[in-house]
Amino acid sequence: MTEVGSLPALHPGVAPLEFLLGTWSGEGEGRYTTIEPFRYGEEIRFWHTGKPFVAYSQRTWALDDGRPMHVETGYWRYSADGRVELVLAHPTGLVEVEEGSLSGTVVTLASTAVVRTSSAKEVTSLARHLAVEGDALTYRLDMAAVGQPDQVHLVATLRRE
Amino acid sequence: MTEVGSLPALHPGVAPLEFLLGTWSGEGEGRYTTIEPFRYGEEIRFWHTGKPFVAYSQRTWALDDGRPMHVETGYWRYSADGRVELVLAHPTGLVEVEEGSLSGTVVTLASTAVVRTSSAKEVTSLARHLAVEGDALTYRLDMAAVGQPDQVHLVATLRRE
């Protein structure tokens, strides 16, 4: 069987997303109208298996004691007409579909669906702006949730390891 | 920062799902009214980080040449009122929420939402029956998709590694 580590050739269907591949780490800042601002450490991994998608997972941790905070996992797709599609699962009981555009190494996405389990908190919409410049990846996540208006929730800058 | 390998204590909120934890591998059989029956190899991993969810990923491969087939990833939750919740992302451009019940080491789930990206194929509903007995995990996945009625799609038996 094919081991994940054996690195087959990137599927040409996701060649425009090749700039994402690798492991990125750094720090970010979170805020929301309902909580105190906070800083966090983060690691993001983008990898592929030779099929037409890019796999994605990330984890964040508290800077003071390293305790785990958020994780999320899913897949990035690139459609034939040049749109980027993102499908994600969150352990908070959410799944989301985001769609948007790619311009060079800048991705702009907005949720087309956010669905939750019976016991999860309400999230109405999510939007991501992600840019890679050299070995730096910056992103911003906007969110409307728990009755609050759409607002910047997370901003981070990571470096390619 | 906390390494995934350092194994914090299992969160009591997901103690009823502890029987899932580990790496499982084996073989399965797929069928659908629109395709030829096929057999596949599979590895499923369930793990935790000390937070109240169980992380999940799986991958399947062709038995003849080991080429990668499906993958999916997400999280299992156990709600205070005894229900199991599953949130998953599929690289085929799908996300799904499944909910159901746990009876001993048998989980029965049905989708409450299946949402897809613009370029993904239609999947209407999914249902999973998963049972662990000793070191054997068996599951059955039923699916209604691409205009076909709900039917058995996948059946597999895996062993704990």
Side-chain angles (χ1 to χ4, degrees):
Chain A
M1 82 203 194
T2 303
E3 292 298 327
V4 170
S6 68
L7 283 183
L10 184 65
H11 192 288
V14 284
L17 299 180
E18 186 171 15
F19 68 95
L20 293 172
L21 296 174
T23 300
W24 306 79
S25 60
E27 293 185 9
E29 190 172 345
R31 67 193 80 165
Y32 211 69
T33 36
T34 54
I35 56 172
E36 289 293 310
F38 60 99
R39 292 188 59 78
Y40 58 89
E42 182 167 24
E43 181 186 84
I44 297 180
R45 291 190 311 123
F46 292 100
W47 72 98
H48 77 96
T49 64
K51 298 197 77 170
F53 60 85
V54 171
Y56 162 84
S57 74
Q58 65 80 257
R59 62 194 178 101
T60 60
W61 57 87
L63 289 175
D64 52 358
D65 64 357
R67 69 185 182 282
M69 293 173 67
H70 187 69
V71 292
E72 62 193 32
T73 182
Y75 305 98
W76 296 64
R77 291 157 55 91
Y78 187 76
S79 70
D81 60 357
R83 284 173 307 97
V84 177
E85 300 179 343
L86 172 61
V87 287
L88 279 188
H90 300 251
T92 47
L94 291 179
V95 292
E96 51 162 323
V97 175
E98 295 190 21
E99 300 200 12
S101 61
L102 174 66
S103 173
T105 56
V106 177
V107 185
T108 306
L109 298 171
S111 56
T112 57
V114 183
V115 186
R116 60 184 166 132
T117 63
S118 302
S119 69
K121 284 187 189 163
E122 181 207 358
V123 173
T124 312
S125 69
L126 293 156
R128 290 166 198 259
H129 182 273
L130 183 153
V132 169
E133 196 174 332
D135 282 336
L137 181 157
T138 57
Y139 74 78
R140 191 184 88 187
L141 175 78
D142 294 0
M143 179 171 72
V146 292
Q148 299 297 307
D150 185 36
Q151 59 192 276
V152 178
H153 177 39
L154 303 172
V155 175
T157 300
L158 312 181
R159 296 247 151 220
R160 202 191 298 266
E161 289 187 352
Chain B
M1 85 202 190
T2 303
E3 293 297 329
V4 170
S6 69
L7 284 183
L10 184 64
H11 192 288
V14 285
L17 298 179
E18 186 171 12
F19 68 95
L20 294 172
L21 296 174
T23 299
W24 306 80
S25 59
E27 294 186 7
E29 191 171 346
R31 67 191 80 165
Y32 211 70
T33 35
T34 54
I35 57 173
E36 289 294 311
F38 60 99
R39 293 188 59 77
Y40 57 90
E42 180 167 25
E43 180 186 83
I44 297 181
R45 291 191 312 123
F46 291 100
W47 72 99
H48 77 96
T49 65
K51 299 198 76 171
F53 60 85
V54 171
Y56 162 84
S57 74
Q58 65 80 257
R59 62 193 178 100
T60 60
W61 57 86
L63 288 175
D64 51 359
D65 64 358
R67 71 185 182 281
M69 295 174 65
H70 187 69
V71 291
E72 62 192 31
T73 182
Y75 306 98
W76 295 64
R77 291 157 57 87
Y78 187 77
S79 71
D81 60 355
R83 283 174 307 99
V84 177
E85 300 179 343
L86 172 61
V87 288
L88 279 187
H90 300 251
T92 47
L94 291 179
V95 292
E96 50 161 326
V97 175
E98 295 189 22
E99 300 200 13
S101 61
L102 173 66
S103 173
T105 56
V106 177
V107 185
T108 306
L109 298 171
S111 56
T112 57
V114 183
V115 186
R116 60 185 167 130
T117 64
S118 302
S119 69
K121 284 187 188 162
E122 182 208 358
V123 173
T124 312
S125 69
L126 292 157
R128 290 167 198 260
H129 182 274
L130 182 154
V132 169
E133 196 174 333
D135 282 337
L137 182 157
T138 57
Y139 74 79
R140 191 184 89 187
L141 177 78
D142 294 1
M143 179 171 72
V146 293
Q148 300 297 308
D150 185 35
Q151 59 191 278
V152 178
H153 176 40
L154 303 172
V155 175
T157 300
L158 312 181
R159 294 251 152 217
R160 201 191 298 266
E161 290 187 352

